[in-house]
PDB file of all heavy atoms in Angstrom:
ATOM      1  N   ARG A  65     -76.399 -94.097  24.885  1.00 98.00           N
ATOM      2  CA  ARG A  65     -75.998 -95.266  25.661  1.00 98.00           C
ATOM      3  C   ARG A  65     -76.324 -96.577  24.966  1.00 98.00           C
ATOM      4  O   ARG A  65     -75.606 -97.571  25.113  1.00 98.00           O
ATOM      5  CB  ARG A  65     -76.698 -95.255  27.031  1.00 98.00           C
ATOM      6  CG  ARG A  65     -76.381 -94.014  27.868  1.00 98.00           C
ATOM      7  CD  ARG A  65     -76.942 -94.158  29.291  1.00 98.00           C
ATOM      8  NE  ARG A  65     -78.389 -94.268  29.316  1.00 98.00           N
ATOM      9  CZ  ARG A  65     -79.063 -95.281  29.839  1.00 98.00           C
ATOM     10  NH1 ARG A  65     -78.413 -96.306  30.387  1.00 98.00           N
ATOM     11  NH2 ARG A  65     -80.408 -95.285  29.804  1.00 98.00           N
ATOM     12  N   PHE A  66     -77.438 -96.628  24.240  1.00 98.00           N
ATOM     13  CA  PHE A  66     -77.883 -97.861  23.556  1.00 98.00           C
ATOM     14  C   PHE A  66     -77.681 -97.685  22.042  1.00 98.00           C
ATOM     15  O   PHE A  66     -77.829 -96.586  21.507  1.00 98.00           O
ATOM     16  CB  PHE A  66     -79.372 -98.097  23.815  1.00 98.00           C
ATOM     17  CG  PHE A  66     -79.709 -98.520  25.228  1.00 98.00           C
ATOM     18  CD1 PHE A  66     -78.795 -98.425  26.258  1.00 98.00           C
ATOM     19  CD2 PHE A  66     -80.987 -99.003  25.509  1.00 98.00           C
ATOM     20  CE1 PHE A  66     -79.130 -98.812  27.536  1.00 98.00           C
ATOM     21  CE2 PHE A  66     -81.324 -99.376  26.783  1.00 98.00           C
ATOM     22  CZ  PHE A  66     -80.403 -99.278  27.804  1.00 98.00           C
ATOM     23  N   THR A  67     -77.401 -98.813  21.403  1.00 98.00           N
ATOM     24  CA  THR A  67     -77.242 -98.823  19.934  1.00 98.00           C
ATOM     25  C   THR A  67     -77.981-100.035  19.361  1.00 98.00           C
ATOM     26  O   THR A  67     -77.734-101.172  19.811  1.00 98.00           O
ATOM     27  CB  THR A  67     -75.772 -98.897  19.523  1.00 98.00           C
ATOM     28  OG1 THR A  67     -75.057 -97.782  20.070  1.00 98.00           O
ATOM     29  CG2 THR A  67     -75.646 -98.863  18.013  1.00 98.00           C
ATOM     30  N   ILE A  68     -78.868 -99.786  18.421  1.00 97.00           N
ATOM     31  CA  ILE A  68     -79.590-100.878  17.751  1.00 97.00           C
ATOM     32  C   ILE A  68     -78.895-101.137  16.416  1.00 97.00           C
ATOM     33  O   ILE A  68     -78.444-100.211  15.736  1.00 97.00           O
ATOM     34  CB  ILE A  68     -81.078-100.529  17.545  1.00 97.00           C
ATOM     35  CG1 ILE A  68     -81.843-101.741  17.015  1.00 97.00           C
ATOM     36  CG2 ILE A  68     -81.251 -99.297  16.675  1.00 97.00           C
ATOM     37  CD1 ILE A  68     -83.356-101.530  16.998  1.00 97.00           C
ATOM     38  N   SER A  69     -78.771-102.408  16.071  1.00 96.00           N
ATOM     39  CA  SER A  69     -78.177-102.776  14.792  1.00 96.00           C
ATOM     40  C   SER A  69     -78.810-104.067  14.285  1.00 96.00           C
ATOM     41  O   SER A  69     -79.528-104.749  15.033  1.00 96.00           O
ATOM     42  CB  SER A  69     -76.663-102.949  14.944  1.00 96.00           C
ATOM     43  OG  SER A  69     -76.367-103.981  15.860  1.00 96.00           O
ATOM     44  N   ARG A  70     -78.555-104.388  13.039  1.00 95.00           N
ATOM     45  CA  ARG A  70     -79.169-105.585  12.459  1.00 95.00           C
ATOM     46  C   ARG A  70     -78.164-106.309  11.571  1.00 95.00           C
ATOM     47  O   ARG A  70     -77.239-105.723  11.014  1.00 95.00           O
ATOM     48  CB  ARG A  70     -80.427-105.216  11.655  1.00 95.00           C
ATOM     49  CG  ARG A  70     -80.145-104.362  10.455  1.00 95.00           C
ATOM     50  CD  ARG A  70     -81.452-103.843   9.817  1.00 95.00           C
ATOM     51  NE  ARG A  70     -82.254-104.901   9.191  1.00 95.00           N
ATOM     52  CZ  ARG A  70     -83.463-104.700   8.690  1.00 95.00           C
ATOM     53  NH1 ARG A  70     -84.015-103.507   8.736  1.00 95.00           N
ATOM     54  NH2 ARG A  70     -84.125-105.702   8.137  1.00 95.00           N
ATOM     55  N   ASP A  71     -78.401-107.617  11.432  1.00 94.00           N
ATOM     56  CA  ASP A  71     -77.692-108.453  10.512  1.00 94.00           C
ATOM     57  C   ASP A  71     -78.732-109.047   9.571  1.00 94.00           C
ATOM     58  O   ASP A  71     -79.446-109.981   9.951  1.00 94.00           O
ATOM     59  CB  ASP A  71     -76.901-109.567  11.240  1.00 94.00           C
ATOM     60  CG  ASP A  71     -76.044-110.413  10.320  1.00 94.00           C
ATOM     61  OD1 ASP A  71     -76.432-110.541   9.115  1.00 94.00           O
ATOM     62  OD2 ASP A  71     -75.079-110.965  10.774  1.00 94.00           O
ATOM     63  N   ASN A  72     -78.867-108.475   8.396  1.00 91.00           N
ATOM     64  CA  ASN A  72     -79.909-108.917   7.472  1.00 91.00           C
ATOM     65  C   ASN A  72     -79.782-110.369   7.054  1.00 91.00           C
ATOM     66  O   ASN A  72     -80.785-111.063   6.884  1.00 91.00           O
ATOM     67  CB  ASN A  72     -79.920-108.020   6.237  1.00 91.00           C
ATOM     68  CG  ASN A  72     -80.387-106.612   6.535  1.00 91.00           C
ATOM     69  OD1 ASN A  72     -81.159-106.405   7.473  1.00 91.00           O
ATOM     70  ND2 ASN A  72     -79.893-105.666   5.769  1.00 91.00           N
ATOM     71  N   ALA A  73     -78.546-110.828   6.896  1.00 93.00           N
ATOM     72  CA  ALA A  73     -78.332-112.202   6.453  1.00 93.00           C
ATOM     73  C   ALA A  73     -78.827-113.198   7.493  1.00 93.00           C
ATOM     74  O   ALA A  73     -79.211-114.316   7.146  1.00 93.00           O
ATOM     75  CB  ALA A  73     -76.855-112.423   6.180  1.00 93.00           C
ATOM     76  N   LYS A  74     -78.811-112.806   8.755  1.00 94.00           N
ATOM     77  CA  LYS A  74     -79.242-113.678   9.836  1.00 94.00           C
ATOM     78  C   LYS A  74     -80.608-113.317  10.369  1.00 94.00           C
ATOM     79  O   LYS A  74     -81.066-113.965  11.333  1.00 94.00           O
ATOM     80  CB  LYS A  74     -78.212-113.641  10.973  1.00 94.00           C
ATOM     81  CG  LYS A  74     -76.825-114.114  10.605  1.00 94.00           C
ATOM     82  CD  LYS A  74     -75.897-114.034  11.823  1.00 94.00           C
ATOM     83  CE  LYS A  74     -74.479-114.529  11.467  1.00 94.00           C
ATOM     84  NZ  LYS A  74     -73.565-114.448  12.638  1.00 94.00           N
TER      85      LYS A  74
END
Side-chain angles (χ1 to χ4, degrees):
R65 300 188 297 122
F66 290 11
T67 302
I68 188 171
S69 62
R70 65 189 291 175
D71 184 333
N72 290 332
K74 298 180 179 179

